[in-house]
Amino acid sequence: MRDLGAGLRYLGQGQRWVLSRGRWFGFGLLPALITLVLYAAVLTALGFYADDIAAWATPFADDWGSVGRMLTRGAFAVMLWLAVLMLAVVTFAAVALLIGDPFYEKLSEKVEESEGGLPEGAVEQPLWRELWTSLTDSLFVLSRTLVFTVPLFALGFVPVLGQTVIPVLGFCVSGFFLALELTSVAMQRRGIPVRERLRMLRGRKALALGFGVPLALAFLVPLLAVPLMPGAVAGATLLVRDLTGTGRGPDAPGNRDGAQSPQGPPRPAAPHLQQPPQAQPGPSAQAGPSAQAGPYAQPGPYAQPPGNPYAQPGPYPQQPPR
C-alpha cells in the first residue's frame, strides 16, 4: 500500500511541478494536442464503421434471427470500440512521446536538475537515434500490451465476469504499461534497456499501478489527456529517480545547477601546493629571497624548496622603501 500511495503522489507532484512553471507546461502541450487529434479521428472513424466490421467478423450469425444477430454484432461492435479505446489509452503516451521527443526530453531534464541534478553518466544520443530507440521500445511495449489485451477482449463476452472483473483488470494492465511508457524518457537517459525497465516495474507493481491506473482513467475523459501529459512526464521522471535510487541535493552527481563552475571542474593546484600539510619543513626548506619573490611562494610548511621551477622573480617586484 505504501508504494501504491507513492505512485499516486508522484503523479500529483509531476502535475504541480509543471503548473508552477507555466513555460514548461505549455512546452509539453503541443505534442499531446497533435496526438489527441489523430486518435480522435481514428476513434470517430471506428465508430462509423463498427457495424460493418462486426458483420464481417461474425459471418456465423447471418442465419440467426434478427434479434440474436443484432445483439451479437452490437456486443461485438461495443467490445471492439472499447478494446481500441483501451489500446489508445496505452499507446497515447507512446505516440505523444514519439512526436514530441525533443520537448519531453528537455522537460524531463529540467525536472531532474530541479531535484538534485542529472544522473551520473547520463547517456546522450543524436536525435535520430533517440527517435529510433523510442519507436522500437514502443513497439515492444505494444506487443506486451496485446498479450494481455487480446485475452481480456475475449473474456469480455463472458456474462457478469466480462462486465465486472475484466474491466478492472483491463485498467490495471493499461495503467502498468502506461507507466512503463512514460518512464522511458528518464530510463533512456540512464541507458536502461526496455526489458530491464519492465523487470524493474514488475518488482514494484504497486508503484507502477499507483501512478498509471489513475492516469489511465483520466485519459478516458475527452480532452483531459492533453493538459495531463506534461505533468505525467514530470511525475514519471520523479518515479524513476525513486526506482533507481538517484541521489538528491545540490551536490548530487551531474548537477548542472550546483556548485560546479560553468567553466568546468576546478583546475588542479600547483605542484608545490599538493605537498602533504603534515610534512615538517627541514633546514633545506628555507626559501631564499628569490624564492619568496615568486608569485606562488607561501610562508610556513608550503615554502618553496631551493630550485623549485615556480620560484621565479615575481612580475611585480617590490619597490624599495622611501
Side-chain angles (χ1 to χ4, degrees):
M1 292 299 294
R2 183 177 180 181
D3 267 357
L4 199 66
L8 184 59
R9 186 170 64 252
Y10 287 132
L11 180 59
Q13 288 177 353
Q15 300 300 327
R16 287 196 298 271
W17 193 95
V18 294
L19 290 176
S20 63
R21 299 164 175 82
R23 174 172 173 264
W24 293 104
F25 176 70
F27 196 69
L29 285 181
L30 184 59
L33 184 60
I34 295 173
T35 307
L36 179 66
V37 171
L38 294 175
Y39 273 64
V42 171
L43 290 172
T44 302
L46 180 62
F48 277 111
Y49 294 101
D51 292 338
D52 296 334
I53 296 174
W56 170 81
T58 57
F60 52 85
D62 290 341
D63 299 330
W64 293 5
S66 59
V67 176
R69 182 172 62 249
M70 182 180 64
L71 290 177
T72 301
R73 290 178 174 173
F76 182 90
V78 171
M79 292 302 299
L80 175 64
W81 195 87
L82 289 176
V84 174
L85 180 62
M86 295 301 296
L87 195 61
V89 169
V90 175
T91 59
F92 179 88
V95 176
L97 291 174
L98 189 62
I99 293 175
D101 185 87
F103 296 86
Y104 294 128
E105 177 68 28
K106 194 65 178 177
L107 171 62
S108 179
E109 283 185 4
K110 289 299 179 182
V111 173
E112 299 236 43
E113 289 175 0
S114 71
E115 291 296 309
L118 295 177
E120 186 176 3
V123 178
E124 295 185 4
Q125 297 179 344
L127 178 59
W128 69 268
R129 183 67 180 176
E130 289 182 359
L131 292 174
W132 175 252
T133 303
S134 298
L135 178 60
T136 54
D137 289 353
S138 297
L139 291 176
F140 174 86
V141 175
L142 178 60
S143 66
R144 292 299 185 275
T145 306
L146 290 175
V147 170
F148 294 92
T149 304
V150 172
L152 289 175
F153 174 75
L155 291 174
F157 291 98
V158 178
V160 181
L161 183 68
Q163 292 75 45
T164 55
V165 178
I166 299 304
V168 174
L169 292 177
F171 279 113
C172 289
V173 170
S174 299
F176 179 86
F177 285 104
L178 184 59
L180 177 62
E181 194 65 61
L182 286 167
T183 55
S184 64
V185 178
M187 291 287 198
Q188 285 180 14
R189 183 177 303 117
R190 290 161 171 77
I192 302 175
V194 64
R195 295 178 185 275
E196 180 64 17
R197 297 172 217 162
L198 181 59
R199 187 196 64 79
M200 293 170 66
L201 287 177
R202 279 177 177 170
R204 296 183 67 180
K205 291 186 182 74
L207 182 67
L209 293 176
F211 180 86
V213 172
L215 195 59
L217 291 170
F219 277 12
L220 293 177
V221 180
L223 304 179
L224 192 56
V226 175
L228 288 180
M229 190 62 189
V233 174
T237 303
L238 297 174
L239 186 149
V240 169
R241 291 179 67 84
D242 178 0
L243 201 61
T244 58
T246 305
R248 295 172 61 91
D251 298 327
N255 184 9
R256 294 183 180 179
D257 296 328
Q260 181 171 309
S261 171
Q263 286 82 15
R267 291 173 295 178
H272 70 284
L273 295 179
Q274 298 176 5
Q275 301 276 349
Q278 65 271 20
Q280 298 297 326
S284 62
Q286 301 296 327
S290 61
Q292 295 177 356
Y296 296 100
Q298 301 290 339
Y302 297 99
Q304 300 276 351
N308 190 289
Y310 293 101
Q312 300 296 330
Y316 305 103
Q318 297 181 354
Q319 298 294 331
R322 297 180 179 178

